[in-house]
Amino acid sequence: MIILITGASHTGKTVLAQKMLEKYRYPYLSIDHLKMGLIRSGITTLTPEDDDLLTEYLWPIVREMIETAIENRQDMIIEGCYVPFDWRNGLTTEYLQSIRFICLAFSEGYINSHIAEIKAHGSDIEARLDDSYCTAEQLIKDNRRMSEGFRRCGEPVTLITDNYESRIQELLDREL
């Protein structure tokens, strides 16, 4: 089983991946780690700010890793924001039936009511070197873009409107 977790920045993708690793004992891959490895090694001239270009660049690699894991009957959690809205394109039904897709998003009301908490938890799993871009306005824009984009492609979105912990627990309680 592949668990594919995506969403806007600060929505808790890495926290959920860590909790799933602890529950299922599946290894997990952070697409951010792959991104930074390719950037720091000089294999790409893209920068961490090139979000759309990074999605185009990284997704074919991640997709092939997913297919390889499924072919080898290996379980894996993959998390990151570099998942295209039409991620299913190029994957056959055989592969798709082995993927559990999760997109996390905050509602505008949640962001406005919990911006301090969101920022306070920004480094729960990974240390963020620069979090200055994290404003309520930017989070609202990013979460709206992700929610609308995935919904337009027929994907479910786990919308967090009030209690973050209970929504995450619901995802953990679902059977694979």
Side-chain angles (χ1 to χ4, degrees):
M1 172 64 62
I2 303 298
I3 302 172
L4 181 60
I5 305 169
T6 194
S9 179
H10 286 77
T11 54
K13 299 176 297 293
T14 308
V15 169
L16 178 59
Q18 179 67 36
K19 289 180 184 226
M20 288 187 159
L21 174 145
E22 292 166 9
K23 178 177 180 176
Y24 298 116
R25 303 230 179 264
Y26 292 0
Y28 91 81
L29 168 74
S30 166
I31 301 173
D32 278 344
H33 292 171
L34 176 62
K35 167 191 78 176
M36 292 310 298
L38 293 166
I39 290 171
R40 288 180 171 175
S41 67
I43 291 174
T44 181
T45 58
L46 295 172
T47 70
E49 288 77 37
D50 296 323
D51 285 341
D52 290 338
L53 294 172
L54 283 163
T55 300
E56 291 174 26
Y57 183 79
L58 294 168
W59 181 247
I61 298 166
V62 173
R63 184 186 60 232
E64 294 305 318
M65 292 172 73
I66 289 170
E67 289 180 354
T68 301
I70 292 170
E71 289 163 359
N72 288 303
R73 296 185 190 102
Q74 295 171 313
D75 301 315
M76 184 181 290
I77 301 162
I78 299 174
E79 65 87 12
C81 60
Y82 303 103
V83 177
F85 301 133
D86 63 351
W87 68 273
R88 292 178 185 270
N89 289 349
L91 290 164
T92 65
T93 304
E94 173 190 358
Y95 293 112
L96 291 171
Q97 65 191 10
S98 296
I99 301 171
R100 177 179 171 197
F101 175 81
I102 299 170
C103 176
L104 299 176
F106 293 140
S107 70
E108 184 173 339
Y110 184 87
I111 293 166
N112 285 327
S113 298
H114 296 86
I115 185 65
E117 290 172 62
I118 292 167
K119 289 184 74 145
H121 289 284
S123 293
D124 280 358
I125 303 293
E126 298 174 330
R128 293 182 189 270
L129 300 178
D130 178 15
D131 212 16
S132 60
Y133 69 92
C134 183
T135 64
E137 295 77 22
Q138 188 64 48
L139 288 175
I140 289 167
K141 178 183 168 191
D142 293 347
N143 277 267
R144 184 178 296 136
R145 179 181 171 276
M146 293 296 262
S147 294
E148 290 173 359
F150 281 111
R151 284 186 175 135
R152 216 176 15 257
C153 288
E155 298 297 342
V157 174
T158 300
L159 188 63
I160 299 161
T161 59
D162 53 10
N163 189 316
Y164 177 84
E165 290 299 327
S166 68
R167 291 297 277 158
I168 296 302
Q169 192 58 50
E170 287 173 21
L171 294 169
L172 289 168
D173 290 343
R174 286 188 196 158
E175 292 299 316
L176 294 182

